Amino acid sequence: MILCEQCPDNPDCRNCLDALRSGGSAQKVLPPRSVQVTNLATMETTVAQLHAVSRTAIGLYSREQSLHGRMEVELAADFRIIGGGLRGIAGVPYYVIDIEKVLRREEVLERLLLDEFHNWHMSDELNPIDVLPDWKERDDKRGRLIKQELQKLSILRRIETIFLYLYDNGSLRSIGSSRADRDIEREMRRLVESAAGAGTSVREQIMSSDGQKVFELYASPLPDQSCGIALIDVTAAILEERKRKRREWEIYRDILAVVTKEKLLLLSDEELFFLLREGHKSLAMDLRAPDQLAELRRSFKRALEPVGISDKRLLQFMVAVNEAASNTLKHGSGGTITLHISTDKTLCRAVIHDTGQGIVLEDLPRVTLQHGFSTRHSLGAGFQVMLQYCDRVYLGSSLAGTKLILECVIAT
């Protein structure tokens, strides 16, 4: 094995750091730490060794399980990252996780809105009176209060699993014969105690300790100082929503490719990462203000002239790069610009990456193909110029921002 055979005894070994491709920002973790990794597509968990970290990626060693696709890595109890995983060194179970998002609470997955549940589940309401007979100590007044509050939760439909509770005088009591696992109940108690004390309703998301299940918690204070609680297992709904979004993404990808004759390609983060591994990086620049555009153009010209690109081709490429860079300033707070040149010096790729909220999938055809169309959270207008003056345009967009790759053939 070529990776970290001598770690931590040999701090000069840089195999794990070089695989991150993060320059001087990467650092080793000595000694390596054990972290929990969850595959967000399958919700399978495994334990890996954290070997290296940088501002944009981390390096994990995992003999037990391949770390491909989108991953959640729990670095600490209140510090998690979401990123895409792929093999970092050929023949070695060392994986590079590109950081997409940093989470400091256990809200690991996006919350699901109440009206979304109405579209997913059957229309039969759960009758609260059906679960009340198991509570022998109730009186008619309290029974009516509980029924009233539960009826407000129109979310209670035929979902995979629903647990109902009553929180009263510090005691958490299950209404019915089934209840959640202890680790879920402990977290639920913590959330409900603060809500009951403040007299406010709570909607929170809870994940099981093994990372296999995700629950939505709804707690409503009752007039008698107690609190009614509904705990809903939304794991299957979230997985199904991910599949739906993936299918929708593939449809948009195919449409854009056909309409532009494969000149505009929508790629995933992992595909973009592999694309950029071809060739070498010639320059990198942070772009935060309009007065930096002139320096950007000069830097690109100095880097490209020695590889033999024609004056006309260079001018066209610079117009496209300048348009993309300008739009990151117009519609966001700027970003990073890098230039990659292929090993055989036959093509170059400019990478423009902003850290905005990304482009909404439904807006992609208009953002990329409709002249002059612009949105506040996207690169906006200018795609027509890029498509005209570049040989190919690659696009990737997520909550971590928008990444454009402008490709220009230097010589045939």
Side-chain angles (χ1 to χ4, degrees), residues 16 69 83 205 210 230 243 315 322 335 348:
C16 58
Q205 201 169 78
D210 60 5
K243 292 178 183 178
L315 176 60
N322 189 80
C348 59

Side-chain angles (χ1 to χ4, degrees), residues 149-163:
E149 292 303 314
L150 291 180
Q151 284 176 330
K152 293 180 182 178
L153 299 174
S154 58
I155 192 64
L156 295 178
R157 300 182 182 272
R158 285 191 293 184
I159 310 175
E160 181 178 342
T161 304
I162 302 174
F163 302 101

Side-chain angles (χ1 to χ4, degrees), residues 75-133:
L75 300 181
D78 61 344
F79 189 89
R80 301 164 184 256
I81 66 167
I82 302 292
L86 51 113
R87 184 65 66 91
I89 298 178
V92 178
Y94 179 72
Y95 300 88
V96 174
I97 309 294
D98 282 333
I99 299 175
E100 297 177 8
K101 189 175 181 181
V102 177
L103 303 174
R104 295 189 177 273
R105 298 182 65 240
E106 289 199 20
E107 48 189 35
V108 178
L109 303 173
E110 294 179 10
R111 297 181 182 281
L112 300 177
L113 301 177
L114 288 176
D115 54 0
E116 290 179 304
F117 279 96
H118 291 288
N119 297 327
W120 283 328
H121 303 296
M122 297 291 196
S123 60
D124 292 345
E125 290 282 344
L126 172 67
N127 188 350
I129 200 66
D130 293 338
V131 297
L132 290 177

Side-chain angles (χ1 to χ4, degrees), residues 104-298:
R104 295 189 177 273
R105 298 182 65 240
E106 289 199 20
E107 48 189 35
V108 178
L109 303 173
E110 294 179 10
R111 297 181 182 281
L112 300 177
L113 301 177
L114 288 176
D115 54 0
E116 290 179 304
F117 279 96
H118 291 288
N119 297 327
W120 283 328
H121 303 296
M122 297 291 196
S123 60
D124 292 345
E125 290 282 344
L126 172 67
N127 188 350
I129 200 66
D130 293 338
V131 297
L132 290 177
D134 289 332
W135 182 28
K136 299 179 181 179
E137 299 178 8
R138 79 183 192 283
D139 55 36
D140 290 341
K141 180 180 178 181
R142 181 166 292 187
R144 288 194 301 272
L145 290 173
I146 294 174
K147 180 179 179 180
Q148 175 184 326
E149 292 303 314
L150 291 180
Q151 284 176 330
K152 293 180 182 178
L153 299 174
S154 58
I155 192 64
L156 295 178
R157 300 182 182 272
R158 285 191 293 184
I159 310 175
E160 181 178 342
T161 304
I162 302 174
F163 302 101
L164 302 177
Y165 290 85
L166 181 75
Y167 181 79
D168 189 13
N169 292 324
S171 175
L172 189 65
R173 182 178 304 169
S174 173
I175 303 177
S177 58
S178 61
R179 60 194 307 157
D181 293 338
R182 290 184 178 180
D183 62 318
I184 296 296
E185 288 193 353
R186 282 195 297 269
E187 181 64 13
M188 182 168 56
R189 180 189 294 273
R190 182 185 68 80
L191 294 170
V192 173
E193 282 177 350
S194 60
T200 58
S201 298
V202 172
R203 180 188 177 193
E204 287 289 344
Q205 201 169 78
I206 303 175
M207 177 172 282
S208 60
S209 58
D210 60 5
Q212 298 295 320
K213 293 286 186 179
V214 181
F215 297 87
E216 285 280 355
L217 168 70
Y218 300 86
S220 297
L222 301 177
D224 62 351
Q225 306 303 312
S226 61
C227 191
I229 306 163
L231 185 70
I232 305 170
D233 186 342
V234 296
T235 308
I238 290 176
L239 292 177
E240 183 59 32
E241 173 65 359
R242 286 206 192 109
K243 292 178 183 178
R244 184 189 66 79
K245 288 184 177 180
R246 178 65 186 181
R247 290 193 296 268
E248 187 178 0
W249 182 89
E250 290 172 350
I251 291 173
Y252 277 94
R253 177 199 60 190
D254 295 342
I255 290 175
L256 290 175
V258 170
V259 170
T260 63
K261 298 180 179 180
E262 296 195 352
K263 196 169 185 179
L264 173 60
L265 299 179
L266 184 63
L267 298 185
S268 66
D269 287 343
E270 186 170 355
E271 289 170 329
L272 290 172
F273 182 88
F274 277 113
L275 187 69
L276 294 180
R277 290 173 70 93
E278 302 172 5
H280 63 277
K281 186 189 298 184
S282 296
L283 65 88
M285 180 176 176
D286 285 329
L287 184 69
R288 302 300 171 191
D291 58 8
Q292 294 178 285
L293 290 173
E295 176 58 29
L296 173 67
R297 293 191 294 270
R298 288 192 293 268

